[in-house]
Amino acid sequence: MARAIVRVLLGAALAFAGIGHLTFARTEFQAQVPGFVPLDPDVTVLASGVVEIVLGIALIVVLRHRALVGWIVAAFFVAVFPGNIAQWAEGRDGFGLDSDAARFGRLFFQPVLVAVALWSTGAWDALRRRWRARRRPAA
């Protein structure tokens, strides 16, 4: 039950953040786009917003393949982590992160999101069950 609640909350947060990418927080999210991304920052923010909305909805409604969704969400959090690093390294303000210490502290939040995605969807447990099944000797 706790996993389901956390999964739905994570999905809602992702969908809300995605909506923010497209609307009220569009400029703030642009502060997180690393300089090495070859796309216009606004295009990057819009595209990642759409992805976040889709992933958020998937976390809530795709029950049969929730472990796969968990891995995809975790991969997304890893993929956008360079944006957090860039915001810190380049000293860009956004979302109230207006000091190097605040931006640095935020870096530790992303691994927590990865862990929550894997735990709340049962993705890590599913992988462990597969590993155990492969290591059992055939009867």
Side-chain angles (χ1 to χ4, degrees):
M1 181 60 115
R3 285 184 185 203
I5 292 169
V6 171
R7 181 179 43 79
V8 169
L9 289 174
L10 181 60
L14 263 174
F16 180 75
I19 291 167
H21 277 72
L22 306 179
T23 57
F24 61 90
R26 198 161 155 180
T27 303
E28 296 283 325
F29 279 111
Q30 289 177 14
Q32 295 177 318
V33 178
F36 62 80
V37 173
L39 300 173
D40 176 73
D42 194 46
V43 171
T44 303
V45 167
L46 292 172
S48 62
V50 170
V51 170
E52 284 191 354
I53 292 168
V54 169
L55 291 176
I57 292 169
L59 278 170
I60 295 168
V61 302
V62 178
L63 300 179
R64 184 173 180 174
H65 302 289
R66 70 177 168 250
L68 176 60
V69 171
W71 283 109
I72 293 169
V73 170
F76 175 78
F77 287 143
V78 170
V80 299
F81 188 62
N84 297 344
I85 294 170
Q87 185 178 12
W88 167 68
E90 297 169 13
R92 296 183 188 174
D93 293 348
F95 298 106
L97 303 173
D98 56 1
S99 72
D100 287 341
R103 289 184 287 268
F104 183 74
R106 183 171 186 267
L107 297 177
F108 296 96
F109 187 63
Q110 205 74 4
V112 172
L113 288 174
V114 170
V116 168
L118 296 176
W119 174 79
S120 69
T121 59
W124 186 249
D125 289 340
L127 182 63
R128 286 194 328 219
R129 282 191 301 273
R130 276 186 149 184
W131 283 343
R132 286 182 187 143
R134 287 184 183 174
R135 291 195 308 192
R136 279 190 218 134

